[in-house]
Amino acid sequence: MMKEIKKIVIIGAGITGLLSGLEFSKKGYDVTILEKNNFIGGVATSIISNGYSMDIGPHYVTLQNGSEITKNIINIINENNLVKLPENIRRSRKAYFYSKLWDEFPTINQFISNMNKKNLLQIIFEICLNKLKNNFKNNPKNSKEYLISNYGKFLYKNWFVPYYKNLFYDEIPSIELVKEKFVPINFNKILKNINLNSKKMKSKESVSNGFFDCYFKNGMITLIKSIEKEILKNNGIIETGANIKKIEHETKKIVYEKDSKIIEINSDVIIYALPLNTTKRWLNIEDSKKENQIKTLNSIMVFLFIDTEKLFDRWIIDIYDNDLIFWRISQQSFLSNTVTPAKKTLVNVEIRTKENSDVWNLNDENIFKNVINDLKKIKIIGNEKIEGYKILRLKNIYPLNPNEIYDNSMKNLVNSYDNEYVAGIESNSDTFFTENNLESKNNTIRPGGILIEMMNAKNLVKKIIKK
């Protein structure tokens, strides 16, 4: 360990910053966390109102049985606050698509199998016609042309467009990505799939042996407050309402404003636990080219307080209908009934949108009316009494293309200045580091952001100590 590294400043008190601060404070470092907002936890915390503990987005935590991280988390939050979730919680979601609820978003084969005779004949006709055309011309210029030329207009409009809009909003995936994921359709397979209606769809996502999913009795705020308490116990400092004005990279001096006062602090190491675009600002990296900028979406979260014990029999409903205002519906009280008053339901209806859109500029009352109308339209709510609601507007929450976060520019960003690091890139969500090894591709799990950030924090500590 480098003796001169004593004081560490972490910019950002989201889950990444807090977990990094916890790990460093446990190792005896002098830790200060600076947060621009007046609350900590970012999108991994909860807001308390009217007896409801509202998570900012749907969360649960995946932990490894008997691991050091699991023991630490249980010790921090107190085991009585831990709620072990059913093994099938990852499959506790539905998809609203093509005017009905499915157990999950159907594959192309499953979708075709549910078509009536008229639509099925149209699909077969278009595929046959395009196959004849492609014998003479097979040089599609873009993703749309490739998909239509291989699958036909009906499947493109009714299956591909909803699928990709759910993933990428209105961004058009590259033709390379589409070609890799969707090879030209096999006509013989279509004929075999006509009688697949009796086959049930099964979710492939599950937890590997040795892992379990859990939640907290009073929502994510239980975890955030417990981490905060531990950091403070280890003599760490968390400053909220800290608006950074300047960072001097050579001296590692940070100048910020709090309560109208200008404060200067010095550090040996600076860790950025911020969105990439914001981090680039402080590292003086400018993406002058439009194509190099990471495009993001805003989120409008509408929390509904409903006078019923349960609104639907799942945790999440993913929305693939582009005519509906929202993108996802999550029933938080499905995870724990202690996040609401007795026999009530807490639902989070989430809208993704761009900042210059008409939806983003609607006032809260009109947002609420639109949400309720669409929920009634798809028969998620009927005569249930809505006792209240709360709306949050969050900027730059979702990257339109998540893969951009882990490209080579991020690695170059990390190495821009000595003793300055970006938290949250030691691993990514496509693979998961256990405490002893990297899981093989055949046994890869998707543990969710919280556990990944726990591993990122531990890996970052090791990286800095070894340097």
Side-chain angles (χ1 to χ4, degrees):
M1 180 176 69
M2 296 178 65
K3 292 181 180 179
E4 64 268 31
I5 296 180
K6 295 180 180 179
K7 184 170 181 60
I8 293 176
V9 171
I10 299 170
I11 301 175
I15 188 66
T16 306
L18 290 174
L19 288 168
S20 299
L22 175 62
E23 288 297 317
F24 282 110
S25 69
K26 287 195 306 187
K27 299 285 184 183
Y29 288 92
D30 182 354
V31 174
T32 297
I33 303 175
L34 301 178
E35 170 57 49
K36 178 179 168 183
N37 294 312
N38 292 318
F39 64 93
I40 63 172
V43 295
T45 192
S46 317
I47 296 173
I48 310 298
S49 179
N50 298 328
Y52 291 83
S53 179
M54 299 168 283
D55 285 354
I56 306 179
H59 298 283
Y60 60 75
V61 178
T62 302
L63 295 175
Q64 186 178 13
N65 285 318
S67 73
E68 181 186 347
I69 284 179
T70 301
K71 291 175 184 176
N72 288 341
I73 290 297
I74 290 175
N75 287 336
I76 288 171
I77 67 163
N78 188 324
E79 192 165 7
N80 292 331
N81 289 320
L82 190 73
V83 178
K84 283 199 174 185
L85 299 174
E87 290 185 4
N88 64 349
I89 189 63
R90 293 176 179 236
R91 297 191 296 274
S92 184
R93 58 197 308 154
K94 284 183 177 287
Y96 187 85
F97 166 67
Y98 209 67
S99 300
K100 72 173 187 177
L101 281 173
W102 305 64
D103 285 338
E104 63 181 7
F105 188 77
T107 64
I108 293 177
N109 290 343
Q110 290 163 340
F111 179 58
I112 292 173
S113 299
N114 279 268
M115 290 296 96
N116 59 37
K117 236 179 227 186
K118 180 182 176 182
N119 290 338
L120 182 61
L121 288 173
Q122 182 179 349
I123 291 169
I124 294 173
F125 173 76
E126 288 180 354
I127 292 173
C128 292
L129 182 63
N130 284 321
K131 280 195 171 293
L132 288 174
K133 289 181 180 179
N134 286 341
N135 287 332
F136 304 97
K137 179 184 177 182
N138 195 21
N139 296 305
K141 298 176 182 178
N142 52 49
S143 302
K144 180 178 179 179
E145 192 174 303
Y146 170 81
L147 291 169
I148 291 177
S149 67
N150 283 287
Y151 293 85
K153 291 182 179 179
F154 183 89
L155 283 179
Y156 174 77
K157 177 183 176 182
N158 294 288
W159 191 93
F160 286 99
V161 171
Y163 175 75
Y164 274 116
K165 274 189 173 289
N166 183 276
L167 292 177
F168 302 114
Y169 195 68
D170 61 356
E171 291 291 294
I172 300 173
S174 68
I175 189 170
E176 291 78 18
L177 176 65
V178 170
K179 278 185 173 181
E180 181 182 346
K181 190 170 180 63
F182 299 101
V183 297
I185 198 164
N186 186 317
F187 182 72
N188 291 328
K189 284 185 178 180
I190 293 179
L191 295 178
K192 290 179 182 178
N193 282 322
I194 291 176
N195 295 317
L196 285 179
N197 288 311
S198 60
K199 292 188 177 181
K200 293 183 179 180
M201 294 182 286
K202 294 182 180 179
S203 175
K204 297 178 181 178
E205 189 177 14
S206 61
V207 183
S208 298
N209 290 336
F211 293 84
F212 66 93
D213 295 321
C214 62
Y215 189 60
F216 311 102
K217 283 189 176 177
N218 294 315
M220 290 302 298
I221 197 169
T222 302
L223 176 63
I224 298 303
K225 287 297 183 182
S226 299
I227 294 172
E228 176 188 33
K229 183 178 178 181
E230 198 71 12
I231 292 172
L232 297 178
K233 188 175 80 174
N234 295 332
N235 298 316
I237 297 171
I238 301 175
E239 288 271 37
T240 57
N243 187 16
I244 295 175
K245 297 296 184 181
K246 183 180 179 183
I247 296 176
E248 295 181 2
H249 299 286
E250 293 297 322
T251 61
K252 300 293 180 281
K253 182 168 77 172
I254 300 169
V255 181
Y256 66 94
E257 182 180 5
K258 180 178 170 68
D259 298 330
S260 301
K261 295 180 181 178
I262 298 297
I263 302 169
E264 296 181 359
I265 57 172
N266 292 300
S267 178
D268 300 315
V269 170
I270 299 175
I271 296 171
Y272 300 91
L274 300 166
L276 180 56
N277 283 344
T278 306
T279 302
K280 284 184 175 182
R281 170 192 172 192
W282 294 119
L283 293 180
N284 298 325
I285 293 178
E286 294 183 5
D287 283 333
S288 56
K289 294 182 179 179
K290 190 175 181 180
E291 62 268 21
N292 289 332
Q293 295 177 353
I294 292 181
K295 299 174 184 176
T296 58
L297 291 171
N298 295 346
S299 174
I300 303 174
M301 295 188 182
V302 183
F303 296 93
L304 303 175
F305 311 149
I306 305 174
D307 185 20
T308 185
E309 203 157 358
K310 186 169 65 172
L311 194 61
F312 48 90
D313 64 348
R314 290 292 190 276
W315 174 40
I316 286 178
I317 299 175
D318 295 305
I319 305 298
Y320 293 88
D321 186 329
N322 300 320
D323 293 328
L324 301 176
I325 192 172
F326 37 72
W327 164 62
R328 178 171 61 192
I329 308 167
S330 60
Q331 189 172 221
Q332 188 185 335
S333 45
F334 189 84
L335 301 180
S336 172
N337 58 15
T338 56
V339 299
T340 70
K343 297 184 179 180
K344 307 291 184 181
T345 294
L346 175 59
V347 170
N348 178 355
V349 179
E350 187 170 2
I351 302 166
R352 292 187 307 176
T353 181
K354 292 182 177 178
E355 193 165 348
N356 59 358
S357 72
D358 292 338
V359 173
W360 179 257
N361 292 308
L362 287 175
N363 61 35
D364 284 1
E365 184 180 356
N366 283 324
I367 288 283
F368 173 72
K369 286 180 180 178
N370 276 276
V371 165
I372 295 302
N373 286 338
D374 278 356
L375 286 173
K376 288 182 177 179
K377 177 182 174 182
I378 63 176
K379 299 180 180 178
I380 297 300
I381 62 172
N383 297 320
E384 293 85 2
K385 182 181 178 183
I386 310 296
E387 296 187 325
Y389 70 93
K390 187 174 182 63
I391 294 179
L392 295 182
R393 297 169 187 262
L394 306 171
K395 291 186 178 181
N396 304 320
I397 293 297
Y398 297 109
L400 280 173
N401 184 357
N403 294 326
E404 289 179 342
I405 294 179
Y406 300 104
D407 63 13
N408 288 330
S409 67
M410 187 57 143
K411 294 178 182 178
N412 296 332
L413 176 63
V414 176
N415 297 320
S416 298
Y417 297 96
D418 289 335
N419 289 333
E420 297 191 23
Y421 302 86
V422 176
I425 63 162
E426 303 308 307
S427 64
N428 66 54
S429 59
D430 292 330
T431 55
F432 172 62
F433 286 92
T434 66
E435 294 184 34
N436 300 311
N437 68 297
L438 176 64
E439 297 243 1
S440 68
K441 286 187 177 179
N442 293 330
N443 195 33
T444 296
I445 67 169
R446 296 186 181 276
I450 305 296
L451 182 53
I452 288 174
E453 295 306 341
M454 292 176 187
M455 291 307 306
N456 284 336
K458 291 180 71 69
N459 291 338
L460 185 60
V461 171
K462 291 177 183 177
K463 181 177 180 178
I464 292 177
I465 289 176
K466 288 179 180 178
K467 187 174 179 182

